[in-house]
Amino acid sequence: MSAHLPHPLAVDWAAHLARDRRRSAHTVRAYHATADRLLAFLAEHWGGAVDRSALAAISTADLRAYLAHRRGGGLGNASAARELSAVRGFLAFAGAAAPPVKGPRKPRSIPRPVAPADVVALAEDVADEAREPWLAARDWAVLMLLYGAGLRIGEALALPGGVLPLGETLAVTGKRAKTRIVPLLPQVRAAIESYARQSPWPIMRDEPLFRGAKGGPLDPAIIRRAVQGARTRLGLGERTTPHALRHSFATHLLGRGADLRALQELLGHASLASTQIYTAVDAAHLLDVYRHAHPRA
């Protein structure tokens, strides 16, 4: 079997995003992959080559079949909504009207951690909406710090430029001026370093690492608004906030066997009682899974 070659239309779409829309490299790769997947699916679905004229005939049934194919591969609600948004943009670029297809139904807004795949979809959507590639890199890095290191948004935005160059851990100053050490996952470290390389503002040791569009300290309200817009577009619950990413970090660690005392240190809680709420959250989540999945529930 010959290796799959990227479809020329998908290549043109990626070039348009990078050159004309000034999207980030991450967004270009993700949207290029979506367009290429759609075109490959339609070629098999229709039994022939796909070009601009063929795309003009795409129907609601065709698009639903593609989304069902992707959902069959394990795509979650938020990721499916993001995929549909990318498909609509690509079809518009190709001169084809996107058929009317509703996105995934919004889940009930109940207290629960944000699923890892939905965290990534949320961060990607926020980055996609940024006006400049460096702003996309900044927003991605901030959200990765909240979920990947469990920081409060205020802690992330208070980080000084002096944290660079990064190592395997990060010193974070939290409430009551208490400093704690948190480990940095490679993905989180890479996100911060990518932002630092792209920032048009000089990163000074004693000034905030994360800057606003005009060079001043980044206002947390900007991140909150960006997350609010993304959760609406992706059909996520109203409780999906920047702080919910920190809650998800804690809950997912606990669910994977993290020690409660170690989690207390990572989160910077003065009292173990503050950390113990996550045992209740995790138990509630497991009970919900049991009720929906167990054949005798």
Short mmCIF file of all heavy atoms in Angstrom, two decimals, residues 252-281:
data_model
loop_
_atom_site.label_atom_id
_atom_site.label_comp_id
_atom_site.label_asym_id
_atom_site.label_seq_id
_atom_site.Cartn_x
_atom_site.Cartn_y
_atom_site.Cartn_z
N HIS A 252 -7.61 14.51 38.56
CA HIS A 252 -7.01 13.47 37.72
C HIS A 252 -5.79 12.84 38.40
O HIS A 252 -5.57 11.63 38.29
CB HIS A 252 -6.64 14.06 36.36
CG HIS A 252 -7.84 14.50 35.57
ND1 HIS A 252 -7.76 15.40 34.53
CD2 HIS A 252 -9.15 14.16 35.69
CE1 HIS A 252 -8.97 15.59 34.04
NE2 HIS A 252 -9.83 14.86 34.73
N LEU A 253 -5.00 13.65 39.10
CA LEU A 253 -3.85 13.09 39.83
C LEU A 253 -4.32 12.14 40.93
O LEU A 253 -3.77 11.05 41.10
CB LEU A 253 -3.01 14.21 40.44
CG LEU A 253 -2.01 14.92 39.52
CD1 LEU A 253 -1.22 15.94 40.33
CD2 LEU A 253 -1.06 13.95 38.86
N LEU A 254 -5.34 12.57 41.66
CA LEU A 254 -5.85 11.74 42.74
C LEU A 254 -6.43 10.43 42.19
O LEU A 254 -6.23 9.35 42.75
CB LEU A 254 -6.92 12.50 43.52
CG LEU A 254 -7.41 11.84 44.82
CD1 LEU A 254 -6.26 11.73 45.81
CD2 LEU A 254 -8.56 12.64 45.41
N GLY A 255 -7.13 10.54 41.07
CA GLY A 255 -7.70 9.35 40.46
C GLY A 255 -6.66 8.36 39.97
O GLY A 255 -6.94 7.17 39.84
N ARG A 256 -5.46 8.85 39.73
CA ARG A 256 -4.38 7.97 39.29
C ARG A 256 -3.49 7.52 40.44
O ARG A 256 -2.41 6.98 40.22
CB ARG A 256 -3.54 8.67 38.21
CG ARG A 256 -4.27 8.81 36.89
CD ARG A 256 -3.44 9.58 35.88
NE ARG A 256 -4.10 9.60 34.58
CZ ARG A 256 -3.90 8.71 33.63
NH1 ARG A 256 -3.05 7.71 33.83
NH2 ARG A 256 -4.52 8.79 32.46
N GLY A 257 -3.94 7.78 41.67
CA GLY A 257 -3.23 7.23 42.83
C GLY A 257 -2.32 8.18 43.55
O GLY A 257 -1.52 7.74 44.39
N ALA A 258 -2.40 9.49 43.27
CA ALA A 258 -1.52 10.44 43.97
C ALA A 258 -1.83 10.45 45.46
O ALA A 258 -2.98 10.33 45.88
CB ALA A 258 -1.69 11.84 43.38
N ASP A 259 -0.80 10.63 46.26
CA ASP A 259 -0.94 10.72 47.71
C ASP A 259 -1.54 12.07 48.06
O ASP A 259 -1.19 13.11 47.49
CB ASP A 259 0.44 10.58 48.36
CG ASP A 259 0.39 10.80 49.85
OD1 ASP A 259 -0.06 9.87 50.56
OD2 ASP A 259 0.78 11.89 50.30
N LEU A 260 -2.47 12.07 49.03
CA LEU A 260 -3.17 13.30 49.39
C LEU A 260 -2.22 14.37 49.92
O LEU A 260 -2.37 15.56 49.62
CB LEU A 260 -4.25 12.98 50.43
CG LEU A 260 -5.42 13.97 50.53
CD1 LEU A 260 -6.15 14.08 49.21
CD2 LEU A 260 -6.38 13.54 51.63
N ARG A 261 -1.23 13.96 50.71
CA ARG A 261 -0.26 14.93 51.24
C ARG A 261 0.58 15.53 50.13
O ARG A 261 0.87 16.73 50.12
CB ARG A 261 0.65 14.25 52.27
CG ARG A 261 -0.01 13.97 53.60
CD ARG A 261 -0.19 15.25 54.39
NE ARG A 261 -0.75 14.99 55.72
CZ ARG A 261 -1.14 15.93 56.55
NH1 ARG A 261 -1.05 17.21 56.21
NH2 ARG A 261 -1.64 15.63 57.73
N ALA A 262 0.99 14.69 49.18
CA ALA A 262 1.77 15.19 48.04
C ALA A 262 0.94 16.17 47.23
O ALA A 262 1.44 17.21 46.76
CB ALA A 262 2.25 14.02 47.18
N LEU A 263 -0.35 15.86 47.06
CA LEU A 263 -1.24 16.74 46.32
C LEU A 263 -1.41 18.08 47.04
O LEU A 263 -1.46 19.14 46.41
CB LEU A 263 -2.60 16.05 46.13
CG LEU A 263 -3.59 16.73 45.17
CD1 LEU A 263 -2.98 16.88 43.78
CD2 LEU A 263 -4.88 15.93 45.10
N GLN A 264 -1.46 18.03 48.35
CA GLN A 264 -1.55 19.25 49.14
C GLN A 264 -0.37 20.16 48.86
O GLN A 264 -0.52 21.38 48.68
CB GLN A 264 -1.61 18.92 50.63
CG GLN A 264 -1.64 20.15 51.53
CD GLN A 264 -1.47 19.81 53.02
OE1 GLN A 264 -1.27 18.65 53.37
NE2 GLN A 264 -1.53 20.82 53.87
N GLU A 265 0.83 19.58 48.80
CA GLU A 265 2.03 20.37 48.51
C GLU A 265 2.00 20.93 47.09
O GLU A 265 2.37 22.09 46.87
CB GLU A 265 3.28 19.49 48.70
CG GLU A 265 3.56 19.11 50.14
CD GLU A 265 3.85 20.33 51.01
OE1 GLU A 265 4.51 21.26 50.52
OE2 GLU A 265 3.40 20.35 52.17
N LEU A 266 1.57 20.13 46.14
CA LEU A 266 1.54 20.58 44.74
C LEU A 266 0.58 21.75 44.56
O LEU A 266 0.83 22.67 43.78
CB LEU A 266 1.13 19.42 43.83
CG LEU A 266 2.17 18.33 43.57
CD1 LEU A 266 1.56 17.20 42.76
CD2 LEU A 266 3.39 18.91 42.85
N LEU A 267 -0.55 21.70 45.27
CA LEU A 267 -1.57 22.73 45.13
C LEU A 267 -1.29 23.96 45.99
O LEU A 267 -1.88 25.02 45.78
CB LEU A 267 -2.94 22.17 45.50
CG LEU A 267 -3.49 21.09 44.55
CD1 LEU A 267 -4.75 20.48 45.13
CD2 LEU A 267 -3.76 21.66 43.17
N GLY A 268 -0.41 23.81 46.98
CA GLY A 268 -0.11 24.94 47.86
C GLY A 268 -1.20 25.20 48.88
O GLY A 268 -1.40 26.34 49.31
N HIS A 269 -1.92 24.15 49.29
CA HIS A 269 -2.95 24.30 50.32
C HIS A 269 -2.31 24.37 51.70
O HIS A 269 -1.46 23.55 52.03
CB HIS A 269 -3.93 23.12 50.28
CG HIS A 269 -4.88 23.17 49.13
ND1 HIS A 269 -5.55 22.06 48.67
CD2 HIS A 269 -5.26 24.19 48.32
CE1 HIS A 269 -6.31 22.40 47.65
NE2 HIS A 269 -6.15 23.69 47.42
N ALA A 270 -2.74 25.33 52.50
CA ALA A 270 -2.22 25.43 53.86
C ALA A 270 -2.75 24.31 54.73
O ALA A 270 -2.08 23.83 55.65
CB ALA A 270 -2.59 26.79 54.46
N SER A 271 -3.98 23.86 54.45
CA SER A 271 -4.61 22.83 55.25
C SER A 271 -4.95 21.61 54.39
O SER A 271 -5.37 21.75 53.24
CB SER A 271 -5.90 23.38 55.87
OG SER A 271 -6.70 22.34 56.41
N LEU A 272 -4.76 20.45 54.98
CA LEU A 272 -5.12 19.22 54.27
C LEU A 272 -6.61 19.16 54.00
O LEU A 272 -7.05 18.56 53.01
CB LEU A 272 -4.69 18.00 55.08
CG LEU A 272 -4.85 16.63 54.39
CD1 LEU A 272 -3.98 16.54 53.16
CD2 LEU A 272 -4.51 15.51 55.37
N ALA A 273 -7.41 19.83 54.83
CA ALA A 273 -8.87 19.83 54.64
C ALA A 273 -9.24 20.43 53.28
O ALA A 273 -10.21 20.00 52.65
CB ALA A 273 -9.54 20.62 55.76
N SER A 274 -8.46 21.41 52.83
CA SER A 274 -8.73 22.00 51.51
C SER A 274 -8.51 21.00 50.40
O SER A 274 -9.19 21.03 49.37
CB SER A 274 -7.84 23.23 51.30
OG SER A 274 -8.07 24.21 52.28
N THR A 275 -7.54 20.12 50.59
CA THR A 275 -7.22 19.12 49.56
C THR A 275 -8.21 17.97 49.58
O THR A 275 -8.47 17.36 48.55
CB THR A 275 -5.79 18.59 49.79
OG1 THR A 275 -4.91 19.69 50.03
CG2 THR A 275 -5.30 17.82 48.57
N GLN A 276 -8.79 17.70 50.74
CA GLN A 276 -9.66 16.54 50.87
C GLN A 276 -10.95 16.65 50.07
O GLN A 276 -11.62 15.65 49.83
CB GLN A 276 -9.97 16.28 52.35
CG GLN A 276 -8.79 15.67 53.10
CD GLN A 276 -9.05 15.56 54.60
OE1 GLN A 276 -9.77 16.37 55.17
NE2 GLN A 276 -8.45 14.56 55.23
N ILE A 277 -11.29 17.87 49.62
CA ILE A 277 -12.51 18.01 48.81
C ILE A 277 -12.39 17.19 47.53
O ILE A 277 -13.39 16.74 46.98
CB ILE A 277 -12.81 19.47 48.46
CG1 ILE A 277 -11.69 20.08 47.61
CG2 ILE A 277 -13.07 20.30 49.69
CD1 ILE A 277 -12.05 21.42 46.98
N TYR A 278 -11.16 16.97 47.08
CA TYR A 278 -10.99 16.23 45.82
C TYR A 278 -11.29 14.75 45.98
O TYR A 278 -11.60 14.07 45.01
CB TYR A 278 -9.58 16.44 45.27
CG TYR A 278 -9.35 17.88 44.87
CD1 TYR A 278 -8.55 18.72 45.63
CD2 TYR A 278 -9.98 18.41 43.76
CE1 TYR A 278 -8.37 20.05 45.29
CE2 TYR A 278 -9.82 19.74 43.40
CZ TYR A 278 -9.01 20.54 44.17
OH TYR A 278 -8.86 21.86 43.82
N THR A 279 -11.24 14.25 47.20
CA THR A 279 -11.63 12.85 47.39
C THR A 279 -13.12 12.71 47.16
O THR A 279 -13.58 11.72 46.58
CB THR A 279 -11.28 12.37 48.81
OG1 THR A 279 -11.97 13.16 49.77
CG2 THR A 279 -9.79 12.46 49.06
N ALA A 280 -13.89 13.72 47.57
CA ALA A 280 -15.34 13.68 47.35
C ALA A 280 -15.66 13.85 45.87
O ALA A 280 -16.53 13.18 45.33
CB ALA A 280 -16.02 14.77 48.17
N VAL A 281 -14.95 14.77 45.21
CA VAL A 281 -15.18 14.98 43.78
C VAL A 281 -14.88 13.71 43.01
O VAL A 281 -15.64 13.28 42.16
CB VAL A 281 -14.30 16.14 43.25
CG1 VAL A 281 -14.38 16.22 41.74
CG2 VAL A 281 -14.75 17.46 43.86
#
